[in-house]
Amino acid sequence: MIELNLVDGDAGEPGWQERALCAQTDPEAFFPEKGGSTREAKKVCLTCEVRDECLEYALMNDERFGIWGGLSERERRKLKKRAVV
């Protein structure tokens, strides 16, 4: 089991995962079946205050499944490719 750090630094404030809008919605929307719609998850991400932190986490940890920071795995892969070139 992967344990996420839910506290930012030493401030004792909630970590970005606790502030994420996806934590308050149906998690299945963020991990659709192959070929399933990502529209609802991406709509939630659009207004999320921690979208950048979420995307950074996914890129740094090579998350291969789900919607992270408003991007699908395929979109994150393309983003990484562009950053390397």
Side-chain angles (χ1 to χ4, degrees):
M1 182 168 112
I2 297 174
E3 187 175 319
L4 298 176
N5 178 14
L6 297 179
V7 179
D8 291 330
D10 295 325
E13 295 181 18
W16 67 265
Q17 295 95 340
E18 287 183 346
R19 298 188 328 266
L21 291 178
C22 61
Q24 304 163 31
T25 59
D26 180 11
E28 289 188 27
F30 294 86
F31 295 93
E33 296 291 323
K34 187 170 179 109
S37 176
T38 60
R39 184 175 294 132
E40 288 304 312
K42 288 180 176 185
K43 190 187 295 186
V44 170
C45 292
L46 281 175
T47 59
C48 186
E49 70 178 61
V50 296
R51 182 177 177 187
D52 292 339
E53 291 94 328
C54 180
L55 179 57
E56 181 180 350
Y57 174 86
L59 294 172
M60 296 298 290
N61 292 282
D62 200 28
E63 287 290 343
R64 298 184 185 256
F65 301 101
I67 306 301
W68 292 81
L71 300 181
S72 68
E73 192 273 334
R74 178 181 291 153
E75 293 165 329
R76 292 190 304 275
R77 215 175 27 234
K78 286 181 184 177
L79 183 65
K80 278 182 114 170
K81 266 188 189 175
R82 278 186 269 159
V84 172
V85 175

